[in-house]
Amino acid sequence: MRKIFISVIVLLSLVASVQAQDLSMPIDTVQPDMARPQQVEAKYNTPSESYKAERNAIRSGNRFFEQEKYHQALEEYDKALRINSGSIRGRYNKAVALLQLQSEDNKGTKSDPRVLAATIFSDLVDDAKAFDKEIAEKALYNLGNIAFNDEKYDVSIDMYKASLRVNPDNMKTRENLRLAQLKKQEQNQDNQQQQQDQQQQQDQQKEQDQQQEPQQQEQQQPQEQPMTQSAQQILQSMQNKENSTRKKVKEQETTVGRPQSDKPW
């Protein structure tokens, strides 16, 4: 009994010293509470004769996880979920293993494992809040991390706050919450600066358009075309005729207006 007690103390010390990224590590299932079998059945929805197989599959998956053999770990977690599809820790551990399979090649694609992991975390939160608050806290924390890495700081802040409502004493979650809030402020400032830059560019473009408009109007005015030689000859001929006509009219006016001498009687 003394050895068991010491082991429990050591285990609790290790859990207390876990760093931020380690909060997504898979954890072993708890032992069934034989004194309250109805609570165990409600918590895991597993018949007593199947619980041992479920627990062994999860432990096997954890060993593969520690060896960084994540595909084999997933197979064992899926085996546990085939035994008990409602297993809270089986679902949580599967989601954590999926996060280890993310890469730059599958990020943002249909096969992005983070998408399925986030769905699993979200789906198990209500069950975990009712029966396994430790898992609820960590699932919400991981949802906050996923959103943070996608620069969705509003969602990240909400998830960290929800995790703190389950466990207000987690200082790492508080640090991440503060970091997400700072990143959100930076994002808002960047967005405002971007909007100001766009507005400035629009104003400059409008000013340039207004300056170019008179020049365009001048270019659109019809320009006088030079007269051809033939046209010049015709015009000269018309002017000559007009001058001749004016000369005749003037001579007639002079004759009519001149006083005549009286004829002798």
Side-chain angles (χ1 to χ4, degrees):
M1 292 295 293
R2 181 177 179 80
K3 290 183 179 180
I4 295 174
F5 179 76
I6 293 174
S7 299
V8 170
I9 295 298
V10 172
L11 179 59
L12 290 175
S13 299
L14 290 174
V15 171
S17 63
V18 170
Q19 298 298 317
Q21 62 271 22
D22 295 331
L23 286 178
S24 61
M25 291 289 288
I27 50 181
D28 197 4
T29 58
V30 297
Q31 294 291 332
D33 188 346
M34 301 307 296
R36 290 176 290 176
Q38 292 182 350
Q39 181 178 354
V40 172
E41 185 174 356
K43 182 174 181 178
Y44 295 102
N45 192 28
T46 307
S48 57
E49 62 270 16
S50 301
Y51 179 77
K52 183 177 180 180
E54 175 192 343
R55 180 188 61 189
N56 289 341
I58 291 178
R59 286 181 172 176
S60 176
N62 291 351
R63 286 193 292 271
F64 280 122
F65 189 98
E66 291 171 357
Q67 298 170 14
E68 298 184 359
K69 298 178 179 179
Y70 303 120
H71 289 287
Q72 291 91 327
L74 276 174
E75 292 177 0
E76 294 301 311
Y77 297 144
D78 282 332
K79 184 187 296 183
L81 292 173
R82 284 194 294 271
I83 298 170
N84 172 22
S85 60
S87 172
I88 295 173
R89 300 205 171 194
R91 286 184 283 168
Y92 174 83
N93 286 7
K94 177 179 179 179
V96 170
L98 284 168
L99 289 181
Q100 308 307 314
L101 299 178
Q102 61 180 321
S103 67
E104 290 301 323
D105 293 334
N106 59 35
K107 185 176 180 179
T109 66
K110 293 181 179 180
S111 58
D112 189 343
R114 300 179 312 150
V115 177
L116 179 56
T119 300
I120 294 174
F121 285 137
S122 299
D123 290 344
L124 67 82
V125 165
D126 288 341
D127 290 343
K129 283 182 178 180
F131 303 113
D132 198 334
K133 292 187 181 299
E134 180 184 7
I135 295 299
E137 174 196 353
K138 292 183 178 182
L140 290 165
Y141 178 91
N142 282 324
L143 286 170
N145 287 349
I146 292 172
F148 185 95
N149 291 332
D150 288 339
E151 298 183 0
K152 299 178 180 178
Y153 300 119
D154 285 337
V155 177
S156 180
I157 290 169
D158 290 341
M159 292 299 102
Y160 290 141
K161 286 182 177 180
S163 180
L164 286 171
R165 282 194 288 270
V166 179
N167 179 16
D169 297 327
N170 192 315
M171 297 308 298
K172 193 60 187 179
T173 306
R174 289 190 178 278
E175 292 176 7
N176 283 13
L177 171 61
R178 180 55 181 161
L179 180 60
Q181 290 171 334
L182 291 174
K183 296 295 290 184
K184 178 60 181 176
Q185 291 178 1
E186 292 179 4
Q187 190 180 62
N188 289 339
Q189 292 173 355
D190 291 342
N191 291 338
Q192 291 177 357
Q193 185 62 45
Q194 186 177 6
Q195 291 176 357
Q196 290 176 358
D197 292 342
Q198 290 177 349
Q199 184 62 43
Q200 185 177 2
Q201 290 178 356
Q202 291 176 358
D203 293 342
Q204 290 176 349
Q205 185 62 43
K206 185 177 180 179
E207 184 177 354
Q208 291 177 359
D209 293 342
Q210 290 176 347
Q211 291 176 352
Q212 292 176 356
E213 185 175 353
Q215 298 178 0
Q216 293 176 351
Q217 290 179 350
E218 290 178 1
Q219 293 175 357
Q220 292 174 359
Q221 291 295 332
Q223 301 295 325
E224 293 184 358
Q225 297 298 323
M227 185 177 294
T228 63
Q229 185 175 3
S230 176
Q232 289 178 346
Q233 292 175 351
I234 294 173
L235 180 61
Q236 186 63 43
S237 176
M238 293 177 63
Q239 288 178 346
N240 292 339
K241 289 182 179 180
E242 184 176 355
N243 291 336
S244 177
T245 302
R246 288 179 178 175
K247 184 177 181 181
K248 292 179 180 180
V249 170
K250 188 176 181 180
E251 290 177 350
Q252 292 176 358
E253 289 178 350
T254 302
T255 303
V256 171
R258 184 182 302 169
Q260 300 292 326
S261 299
D262 289 339
K263 291 181 178 180
W265 289 95

